[in-house]
Amino acid sequence: MEIVVIDRGPHTGLYYVATAPPRCGQLPVKLMELPTNAEPPFKANLLKTRWGAALLNITPLDLDEWLLEHLDQLIEGEVTDGVLEGVVCNRKIQSKILDPSISGPVFAVVPVTRRTKTPPPLVLTLLAYRIQIA
């Protein structure tokens, strides 16, 4: 099973793993213990047995390119004053963003533990591809 590891978790050995591709602006993630010290983001094949787990073929991943592969499922919008306003799956959304480093026009996805019809109204972190207009 191929997995995409997004970020490190709160403790050593814990990682946030994307359990499915993004859909309607939401990326389902799960906290998993993985037997590696690799720096995220990366792709790997996960082999689970009753005696444990192993990661095979660990390859670095460019998160921006991975997001652009799923461009039709990302939120297209703009972050101004900590508020994301945009469109995803033919719906207008508005979410408050607690990450102050993100601003301007973006293609974004919200990491969630469970998908709902719309992204949550309050977002702690956002995986975003910043659009640079020349």
Side-chain angles (χ1 to χ4, degrees):
M1 169 173 77
E2 185 172 270
I3 61 170
V4 175
V5 178
I6 302 299
D7 203 0
R8 286 195 184 271
H11 297 291
T12 305
L14 293 177
Y15 293 88
Y16 289 106
V17 176
T19 58
R23 185 161 170 239
C24 289
Q26 300 176 54
L27 177 67
V29 295
K30 181 168 58 169
L31 190 61
M32 289 181 71
E33 184 176 2
L34 298 176
T36 184
N37 288 331
E39 191 63 36
F42 62 86
K43 273 184 167 181
N45 291 328
L46 179 65
L47 179 64
K48 283 186 172 181
T49 66
R50 62 181 172 194
W51 297 287
L55 288 178
L56 307 170
N57 302 332
I58 298 174
T59 56
L61 176 71
D62 183 10
L63 208 50
D64 289 339
E65 284 181 21
W66 186 75
L67 285 174
L68 290 178
E69 286 176 13
H70 305 284
L71 184 62
D72 57 332
Q73 296 295 324
L74 300 182
I75 300 168
E76 300 174 33
E78 186 170 359
V79 178
T80 53
D81 298 326
V83 176
L84 171 66
E85 294 179 347
V87 177
V88 64
C89 293
N90 296 326
R91 291 188 201 122
K92 271 186 117 174
I93 64 156
Q94 186 173 6
S95 296
K96 184 172 173 67
I97 309 296
L98 296 181
D99 188 357
S101 66
I102 300 172
S103 64
V106 294
F107 288 123
V109 67
V110 178
V112 294
T113 55
R114 197 183 86 223
R115 279 191 189 143
T116 57
K117 289 187 180 186
T118 59
L122 181 65
V123 177
L124 298 175
T125 187
L126 189 70
L127 297 176
Y129 175 77
R130 291 181 183 87
I131 302 170
Q132 298 177 2
I133 301 171

